[in-house]
Structure formats: structure tokens, C-alpha cells
């Protein structure tokens, strides 16, 4: 296949990838969009086979490795519970990163195969592109591994900070640039390997200080990095499908990071510098020392309140995911609806551990997506609703984000749960949320605390309805 | 003077960033998780580089250091392609409207 013809096919697959993302603008078109994506991938892979045109025994091995990977991927895709999506996505990002590193390594070792010159005499431009792809890929890989371990709970979600962290990181970043320069001027493989090793290291160091509640930003950011790594490799391979995709994914991840940061009213820089929760707790203990009375209730009380309501708004949070309470919740809502009670769901942009996390869980529990609303769409409805049922969320309802300029979450957009006639909080204990901040809402006259496992409590309420 | 082909690739890249910007802003927030998994799958189109690397060996010498990295990258990218598209499909199947 001629180079021009294959370039046109790569362009087509790039366009199909754009359509795949475009489809996600509404759930109706999204499934078709996904098929466009698959078609684009099939075209890209087929064209690559045809353009290399080397159907020797190497071809068999390519198919073998492709099949092995494909089977593992398909197995994971069918087995993974929806609550584990953040971990899965973090894990997948690490694989994209590592694949980018591996492709860069093989291009560096065998530049002839890629038309990049000869070993020890690689074209300067290609060498720079390759280094960028490899370095960003390495950062994506090690960063995603840390994010995965934190999400999986293997590593503590608490931010790990140490003295001199920021100067060290800055030093490492500068050394990557210096090493790339040395690599380009000497073509020595030593510099390539050192540069890679240092890039892996900086990936670890960048994510380690970021706390669990900031994971939505981290995942989006790593998503973005994996795109830039792919684009870097795309430039090396002079492949437009890869360049287009890399740019799409890179900007997609960047936009998601921006949306997540805005959902927390924090600057991107602030999140990256890390160390949220840890620093705040000390300053807060003074203000919240006195034991304030809270009203606690049981499933019967909650059922009574909701039975007499005409509209209920559900506010799910990460706690719902942990307790796997989404199905029990949907059953409760079904019962409420049978009693002619209007029910809707309110989702805060940073609810859960990744963008859109709650929406997927509710969809899994067969909640129709047109009953689920974003913050701006539903926030005015709280004032007219009778009951807000907060299940596993906390900080996103905290009124101090509006009233207390001292609060670390001051300025963060919150769901106006306090405006409801009554508020039900399903929580394990009075402990503060991830940000380590006490929630005044717990002590309000019209708040009833339901201390229990989210799933058990919801099931019991359903029984009492 | 002839324009370096790099400039054309750079143009594609920059314009694609803008396309990505507008397309992603039009994605409904409730589909942000599938957006992440599908971007994951499509960024694994990096497999084209891995295939070229894997096929670079000649018939006497299929496995050399370069092609081994290529083969490994093929597997990694394939996990992402299959896993990413299938898990996205699985999620999208769950998004349903109210049944009346």
C-alpha cells in the first residue's frame, strides 16, 4: 500500500475518533459514537499491516501478542464492577503510558524501521519528538500506578509530603530537559535511558502528595498526559491518526481537569502542589471542639418523613459507591414513586472519584438518566423540595463553602441541601469528609442523621415505606 | 522554499486540539466517565507504532531488543483497545430513558 493511500486511511480513522467523542454529547448517540471509534481503530490497524506488507513469521507473533492483550482487555471489561471504574481508568492510563515508552524505545533502538535515520544518527526532530513522547509516557505510567494504588486502597489516600518536595521536583524537571538536550547533541543511548528513568521517578513524585479527594483531577490530568504522549509518538511516526487522537485526548483530559478544579473552586496549580487534607485538619480542630447536639434517627423516622413528602431529592456521593448502595437506592426510589412522590437526583461535579462516576453507578442501577441532574440544573429546586436524602456525600453540601471565608472549601459551588424542608444524612459516623471539615448542616434543626451503612439503611427504609 | 512536512503535522496537531476543545465541551457531564474510557481506548492507536516495531525484524531474527519492545507494546495497547471500547460499550448500554 502506498504511503499516500495509507496516510489518507489514517486521516479517516482520525476523523472517526472525532465522531466517537462527538457521539458522547447525548446518551442516544453515544453507542453509535463508540462504534465509530471501533471502526477507526480497525482501519488504523489494518492499514498498518498492509503498509508494512511484511507477512513473514513476525506477522504471526504480532497477532499472538494482539490476541493475548485483547483477551485480557475483554476479560477485564466484562468482569470489572462499575464501582471500580476509577481504578480501571487509572490502570488503563498507565498502560497507554508504558506502551508509548516501549514504542519510543524500539524506535530509538531500530530507527531504520521507522525511517528516522540510522542508529546513532537519528534525525534531530525525530529524536526530540521521541524524547517528549517517551518522557510524558513514563510520567503517565508511574503517575497512574500511584493513582491506581491510592484508589484501590493499597496505598493510603492521604497526601504524602516531605520537605524540599517542590525544589526536588523542579530540579528533576530541569534535569529531564538537560538530558534531552545532551541526548540530541551526543546521540548517546546512556542519556536516553537516564532520561527515561528520571521521568518515571518524577511521575511517582508528582502524584504521591495528592490526596484521595483530589483523584478526579489527577485521573483527568493523567488522561491528558496519555494523550500528549501519544501525540509525541505520532510526530515521531509521522502518523496523522496518532497526532489527531493525541490532541483530542490531551485536550479532553485538560478540560475535564479544569471542570473538576472548578467544581472544587481550586486552581489546577493548587491541586498539583498537593497536600490538601493534611494541612487543614490542624487549623480546624480548634473551632469544632465543642460537642454539638445532633438529631439522630432510624429507618422508620426516615421512611415517615419521605412518605409525607411530595418531592425528594437524592444527593449521592462517594460513600454510596463504597457501600455499593446504588441498587438499594433505586429500589427505595421505586417505592417512593409508587406513592406518587416526585424523586430526582442531584450530582455535584466532583462527587465520587472521577468525572461522571455517580452517573455511571446510577445508570447501572437502572436509574433513567433524565431523572439525574447536574448542580446548575437542580440547585434551585432544593428550596421547593420536602426532603433531601444525602447518601455518602458530605463536603459538597457544606454551607460553610458559602458563609465562612476561613473554610478551606470556601467558594466551592455546593448543592443547596440546607434549603430543603428537611435533610436526611446517611453516614457511617459524624466524622468529617475528605477535606477534614466539619459540616454545620449536621447540627441544624431540620437535619436528621441516619448513622448506618448506606446500603443497609436504604434497604431498611424501603421496608418501612 | 519548501515547507517542512513537520509544519503540516504541527498544523494537524494544533487544529485537532481546537476540535477536541469544542467537541469535549459538548459532551454531557453524565457521560464523563465513558468519555475517559473511550479516550483511553482511542489513544491506544499508538499500537500502529508497536506493530511497525514488531514487524521490523527479518525472518531469521524476529526477536531483537527493538521488536520485543514492540511486541510488548502491542499487548499493552491491545488490552486498552479491547478493554476500553468494551467497557465503554457496557457503560453506555446502561444509560436508559424513563420507560413509560
Amino acid at each position: 500500500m502506498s504511503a499516500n493511500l495509507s496516510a489518507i486511511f489514517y486521516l479517516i480513522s482520525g476523523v472517526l475518533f472525532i465522531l466517537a467523542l462527538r457521539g458522547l454529547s447525548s446518551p442516544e448517540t453515544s453507542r453509535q459514537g463508540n462504534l465509530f471509534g471501533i471502526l477507526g481503530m480497525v482501519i488504523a490497524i489494518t492499514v498498518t499491516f498492509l503498509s508494512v506488507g511484511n507477512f513473514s513469521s513476525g506477522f504471526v507473533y504480532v497477532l499472538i501478542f494482539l490476541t493475548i492483550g485483547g483477551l485480557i482487555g475483554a476479560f477485564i471489561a466484562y468482569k470489572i464492577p462499575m464501582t471500580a471504574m476509577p481504578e480501571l481508568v487509572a490502570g488503563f492510563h498507565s498502560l497507554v503510558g508504558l506502551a508509548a515508552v516501549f514504542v519510543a524505545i524500539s524506535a530509538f533502538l531500530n530507527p531504520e524501521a521507522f525511517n528516522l535515520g540510522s542508529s546513532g544518527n537519528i534525525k534531530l526532530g525525530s529524536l526530540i519528538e521521541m524524547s517528549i513522547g517517551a518522557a510524558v509516557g513514563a510520567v503517565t505510567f508511574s503517575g497512574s500506578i500511584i493513582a491506581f494504588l491510592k484508589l484501590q486502597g493499597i496505598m493510603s489516600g492521604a497526601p504524602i509530603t516531605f520537605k524540599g518536595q517542590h525544589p526536588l521536583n523542579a530540579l528533576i524537571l530541569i534535569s529531564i530537559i538537560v538530558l534531552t538536550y545532551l541526548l540530541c547533541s551526543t546521540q548517546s543511548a546512556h542519556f536516553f535511558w537516564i532520561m527515561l528513568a528520571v521521568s518515571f521517578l518524577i511521575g511517582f513524585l508528582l502524584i504521591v502528595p495528592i490526596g484521595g479527594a483530589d483523584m478526579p483531577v489527577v485521573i483527568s490530568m493523567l488522561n491528558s498526559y496519555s494523550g500528549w504522549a501519544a501525540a509525541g509518538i505520532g510526530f515521531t511516526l509521522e502518523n496523522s491518526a496518532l497526532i489527531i487522537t493525541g490532541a483530542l485526548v490531551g485536550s479532553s483530559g485538560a478540560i475535564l481537569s479544569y471542570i473538576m478544579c472548578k467544581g472544587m473552586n481550586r486552581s489546577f496549580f493548587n491541586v498539583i502542589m498537593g497536600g490538601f487534607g493534611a494541612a487543614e485538619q490542624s487549623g480546624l480542630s480548634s473551632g469544632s471542639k465543642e460537642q454539638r447536639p445532633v438529631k439522630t434517627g432510624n429507618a422508620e423516622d426516615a421512611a415517615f418523613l419521605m412518605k409525607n413528602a411530595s418531592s425528594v431529592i437524592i444527593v449521592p456521593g462517594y460513600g454510596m459507591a463504597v457501600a455499593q448502595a446504588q441498587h438499594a437506592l433505586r429500589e427505595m426510589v421505586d417505592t417512593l414513586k409508587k406513592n406518587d412522590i416526585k424523586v430526582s437526583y442531584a450530582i455535584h461535579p466532583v462527587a465520587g472519584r472521577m468525572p461522571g462516576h455517580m452517573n455511571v453507578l446510577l445508570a447501572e442501577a437502572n436509574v433513567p438518566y433524565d431523572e439525574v441532574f447536574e448542580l446548575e440544573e437542580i440547585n434551585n429546586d432544593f428550596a421547593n423540595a420536602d426532603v433531601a436524602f444525602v447518601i455518602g456525600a458530605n463536603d459538597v453540601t457544606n454551607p460553610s463553602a458559602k458563609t465562612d471565608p476561613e473554610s478551606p472549601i470556601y467558594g466551592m459551588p455546593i448543592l443547596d441541601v440546607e434549603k430543603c424542608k428537611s435533610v436526611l444524612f446517611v453516614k457511617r459516623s459524624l466524622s468529617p469528609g475528605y477535606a477534614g471539615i466539619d459540616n454545620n448542616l449536621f447540627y441544624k434543626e431540620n437535619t436528621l442523621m441516619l448513622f448506618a451503612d448506606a446500603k443497609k439503611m436504604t434497604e431498611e427504609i424501603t421496608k418501612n415505606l | 522554499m519548501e515547507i517542512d512536512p513537520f509544519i503540516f503535522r504541527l498544523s494537524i496537531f494544533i487544529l485537532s486540539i481546537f476540535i477536541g476543545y469544542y467537541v469535549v465541551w459538548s459532551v454531557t457531564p453524565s457521560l464523563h466517565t465513558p468519555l475517559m474510557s473511550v479516550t483511553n481506548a482511542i489513544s491506544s492507536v499508538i499500537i500502529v507504532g508497536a506493530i511497525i516495531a514488531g514487524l521490523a525484524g527479518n525472518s531469521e531474527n524476529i526477536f531483537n531488543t527493538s521488536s520485543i519492545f514492540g511486541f510488548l507494546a502491542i499487548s499493552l495497547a491491545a488490552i486498552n483497545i479491547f478493554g476500553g471500547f468494551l467497557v465503554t460499550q457496557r457503560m453506555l448500554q446502561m444509560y436508559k430513558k424513563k420507560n413509560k
Side-chain angles (χ1 to χ4, degrees):
Chain A
M1 193 182 253
S2 84
N4 286 332
L5 189 58
S6 49
I8 286 171
F9 276 110
Y10 284 132
L11 185 62
I12 293 173
S13 83
V15 171
L16 286 167
F17 291 150
I18 295 173
L19 293 176
L21 299 194
R22 182 78 187 97
L24 291 170
S25 56
S26 96
E28 285 107 81
T29 54
S30 61
R31 286 173 276 262
Q32 190 195 24
N34 200 40
L35 294 179
F36 281 138
I38 295 171
L39 183 63
M41 189 61 74
V42 171
I43 291 176
I45 293 175
T46 315
V47 168
T48 310
F49 279 137
L50 294 177
S51 63
V52 175
N54 172 6
F55 290 96
S56 65
S57 37
F59 184 70
V60 180
Y61 288 101
V62 169
L63 286 184
I64 291 174
F65 280 92
L66 189 74
T67 314
I68 294 173
L71 287 175
I72 297 173
F75 180 77
I76 297 173
Y78 281 112
K79 284 282 166 196
I80 192 90
M82 283 301 141
T83 40
M85 263 346 268
E87 292 95 303
L88 179 76
V89 169
F92 277 171
H93 286 158
S94 74
L95 298 182
V96 178
L98 196 59
V101 172
F102 283 177
V103 172
I105 291 176
S106 36
F108 183 76
L109 294 175
N110 187 4
E112 289 92 346
F114 294 87
N115 274 328
L116 305 176
S118 58
S119 207
N121 188 20
I122 301 173
K123 281 186 278 182
L124 179 65
S126 311
L127 205 52
I128 297 173
E129 292 155 1
M130 198 189 287
S131 308
I132 294 173
V136 180
V139 172
T140 311
F141 171 71
S142 51
S144 301
I145 292 286
I146 298 291
F148 176 81
L149 293 177
K150 285 195 173 195
L151 286 164
Q152 189 76 292
I154 297 170
M155 202 172 138
S156 155
I160 300 166
T161 46
F162 53 88
K163 239 184 151 184
Q165 197 161 22
H166 301 319
L168 178 70
N169 289 350
L171 195 72
I172 295 179
L173 286 175
I174 293 167
S175 76
I176 291 177
I177 298 169
V178 173
L179 285 162
T180 308
Y181 174 77
L182 290 172
L183 169 67
C184 293
S185 52
T186 65
Q187 298 259 351
S188 155
H190 296 298
F191 291 119
F192 183 73
W193 298 117
I194 300 172
M195 194 263 308
L196 266 184
V198 174
S199 302
F200 279 121
L201 182 66
I202 189 75
F204 285 116
L205 290 173
L206 279 177
I207 307 301
V208 154
I210 303 179
D214 290 336
M215 279 303 146
V217 182
V218 172
I219 295 195
S220 320
M221 184 183 82
L222 291 166
N223 186 236
S224 181
Y225 286 0
S226 68
W228 304 132
I233 301 295
F235 274 102
T236 319
L237 304 182
E238 310 183 346
N239 182 308
S240 55
L242 205 40
I243 296 176
I244 294 173
T245 316
L248 289 178
V249 178
S251 54
S252 159
I255 290 172
L256 289 176
S257 320
Y258 170 79
I259 295 175
M260 293 300 110
C261 285
K262 232 181 136 215
M264 296 192 290
N265 188 39
R266 300 179 62 198
S267 71
F268 185 67
F269 194 65
N270 179 283
V271 175
I272 300 311
M273 293 309 252
F276 198 36
E280 312 297 349
Q281 247 139 6
S282 52
L284 277 153
S285 49
S286 53
S288 53
K289 272 240 169 76
E290 84 263 40
Q291 286 288 319
R292 289 187 283 171
V294 293
K295 279 204 286 185
T296 59
N298 56 28
E300 262 174 70
D301 305 329
F304 178 77
L305 264 174
M306 285 202 268
K307 231 191 286 184
N308 292 307
S310 59
S311 72
V312 174
I313 300 179
I314 315 256
V315 180
Y318 184 57
M320 182 191 79
V322 175
Q324 306 254 19
Q326 65 271 30
H327 298 280
L329 181 68
R330 208 277 325 255
E331 277 164 34
M332 186 188 89
V333 171
D334 283 350
T335 320
L336 287 175
K337 280 198 218 152
K338 267 182 215 146
N339 293 317
D340 280 332
I341 299 164
K342 187 177 168 272
V343 187
S344 36
Y345 298 81
I347 313 263
H348 191 276
V350 292
R353 285 290 177 271
M354 74 184 294
H357 192 186
M358 291 299 125
N359 302 81
V360 168
L361 294 181
L362 292 176
E364 186 198 12
N366 284 323
V367 172
Y369 61 81
D370 36 11
E371 284 175 15
V372 182
F373 298 94
E374 304 300 317
L375 183 129
E376 310 87 55
E377 297 172 315
I378 201 168
N379 229 5
N380 292 328
D381 297 354
F382 280 107
N384 305 319
D386 297 305
V387 177
F389 186 74
V390 184
I391 175 166
N394 180 3
D395 292 335
V396 299
T397 65
N398 195 335
S400 68
K402 284 185 172 173
T403 54
D404 178 12
E406 299 287 297
S407 170
I409 58 167
Y410 183 67
M412 173 170 126
I414 58 156
L415 291 161
D416 293 330
V417 170
E418 51 176 330
K419 290 186 181 156
C420 264
K421 292 200 187 73
S422 43
V423 181
L424 296 167
F425 254 104
V426 186
K427 245 181 141 300
R428 281 174 177 278
S429 69
L430 256 192
S431 66
Y434 244 103
I437 315 152
D438 204 14
N439 191 342
N440 272 323
L441 207 49
F442 296 165
Y443 313 103
K444 283 230 164 131
E445 189 66 20
N446 58 354
T447 303
L448 193 64
M449 302 297 293
L450 309 164
F451 292 119
D453 174 77
K455 191 175 172 189
K456 274 197 199 118
M457 177 52 79
T458 322
E459 283 166 351
E460 269 177 51
I461 294 175
T462 314
K463 271 183 221 151
N464 281 293
L465 275 169
Chain B
M1 210 180 99
E2 219 177 307
I3 300 169
D4 191 314
F6 170 79
I7 303 300
F8 288 113
R9 285 191 284 277
L10 191 65
S11 317
I12 295 176
F13 179 64
I14 303 289
L15 293 176
S16 302
I17 291 178
F18 278 91
I19 294 173
Y21 180 86
Y22 289 107
V23 168
V24 170
W25 272 116
S26 74
V27 171
T28 161
S30 67
L31 292 176
H32 276 163
T33 298
L35 171 68
M36 297 203 95
S37 61
V38 84
T39 50
N40 222 314
I42 63 173
S43 56
S44 301
V45 73
I46 201 159
I47 198 169
V48 302
I51 293 172
I52 297 172
L55 289 177
N58 48 38
S59 38
E60 299 96 63
N61 185 16
I62 293 166
F63 289 103
N64 53 49
T65 331
S66 166
S67 72
I68 287 172
F69 276 111
F71 286 128
L72 291 177
I74 290 174
S75 281
L76 295 178
I79 294 178
N80 258 319
I81 292 171
F82 283 78
F85 280 125
L86 289 173
V87 90
T88 309
Q89 196 68 13
R90 206 181 123 197
M91 275 191 272
L92 294 177
Q93 298 296 354
M94 300 186 313
Y95 282 81
K96 289 186 195 87
K97 262 197 164 164
K98 231 176 281 185
N99 39 349
K100 293 191 178 112

